[in-house]
Amino acid sequence: MIIKVCGLIENENALEVSELGVDLLGINFYRDSSRYIEETVFEGIFTPIVGVFVNSSYDYILEMIDKHNLSYVQLHGDETPEFASMLNEEIPVIKAIGIQTRLDMEIAEAYTDVEYLLFDKKSKMYGGTGNKFDWSLIAEYKGDVPFMIAGGIAPEDYEIINNFTHELFEGIDINSQFETSPGIKNVSLIEAFLTKVR
């Protein structure tokens, strides 16, 4: 199972999380986020880095890919399937989809040319809410693209995760429930969680 830790803002903290053996690290390029880090330089990290963008221009995303040596791009706004597909030709794309009703799964199914989908709690805000959605709605997903789950996943949710089954379920994205302050991850908490979900 893929474990993605998102919203990192400091290099030393990111290094500590990386050394736990997680699969992906996420850094945020959404200017209205408390975890926005465009000028932060991450060095010495061998875990693949995911850049999170919200309605950014194609050229800006390409600029940040080069500047920060990104391995993936996560689109967390209103980007169209066509935009996601075009970008996916340059770098693997993770498209976040806000989930609230069964109809949202139909929206997700339109993104056929991305590496992963990321199912998150639907909100008027961009960039994630830190709240859970009803995972039972995932049963309505009829697409072919594998997915990860985000949205308020907490340390005590390991049993829910371990009992969740779907043939296209690939992993989880953890963030705010594993922090000591916005963007600073509690390394011990993540380490303990990993032992329970792996």
Side-chain angles (χ1 to χ4, degrees):
M1 179 170 56
I2 295 170
I3 307 293
K4 175 175 176 279
V5 179
C6 203
L8 294 143
I9 62 171
E10 288 187 357
N11 192 77
E12 182 177 351
N13 187 230
L15 276 169
E16 291 175 335
V17 174
S18 175
E19 289 169 356
L20 297 177
V22 300
D23 302 287
L24 299 171
L25 300 178
I27 58 177
N28 199 319
F29 295 95
Y30 179 44
R31 294 180 187 275
D32 290 341
S33 171
S34 59
R35 299 169 182 83
Y36 170 66
I37 57 81
E38 182 179 329
E39 299 306 322
T40 302
V41 176
F42 290 88
E43 298 177 323
I45 296 171
F46 296 101
T47 302
I49 296 177
V50 181
V52 179
F53 298 87
V54 174
N55 299 330
S56 297
S57 71
Y58 187 80
D59 289 342
Y60 175 72
I61 293 173
L62 292 184
E63 179 186 348
M64 292 302 104
I65 290 170
D66 289 338
K67 180 177 180 179
H68 293 274
N69 193 30
L70 302 179
S71 297
Y72 292 80
V73 162
Q74 179 175 313
L75 302 177
H76 222 294
D78 303 313
E79 301 87 1
T80 65
E82 293 76 19
F83 183 89
S85 176
M86 179 174 66
L87 189 59
N88 197 59
E89 295 179 3
E90 301 291 336
I91 188 171
V93 168
I94 301 167
K95 179 64 181 90
I97 305 291
I99 303 298
Q100 183 172 330
T101 69
R102 295 177 180 180
L103 293 177
D104 295 317
M105 285 302 169
E106 295 183 12
I107 294 172
E109 289 163 18
Y111 292 86
T112 58
D113 192 16
V114 295
E115 192 78 6
Y116 297 105
L117 294 173
L118 178 68
F119 297 145
D120 201 351
K121 171 77 172 179
K122 193 169 190 175
S123 171
K124 294 180 180 179
M125 299 185 299
Y126 292 113
T129 67
N131 297 315
K132 291 182 177 65
F133 66 95
D134 181 0
W135 289 18
S136 70
L137 291 170
I138 297 174
E140 303 296 326
Y141 176 59
K142 309 302 181 187
D144 297 318
V145 176
F147 63 85
M148 293 184 277
I149 299 176
I153 294 175
E156 62 269 19
D157 291 329
Y158 65 92
E159 289 188 4
I160 299 171
I161 295 163
N162 290 340
N163 290 324
F164 181 79
T165 57
H166 190 292
E167 61 181 4
L168 293 175
F169 174 54
E170 291 288 333
I172 57 172
D173 184 320
I174 62 175
N175 192 346
S176 59
Q177 301 295 320
F178 292 83
E179 291 184 332
T180 56
S181 61
I184 304 301
K185 308 306 174 188
N186 185 322
V187 178
S188 297
L189 202 59
I190 295 174
E191 184 176 24
F193 178 73
L194 291 177
T195 65
K196 296 175 181 177
V197 296
R198 285 186 160 170

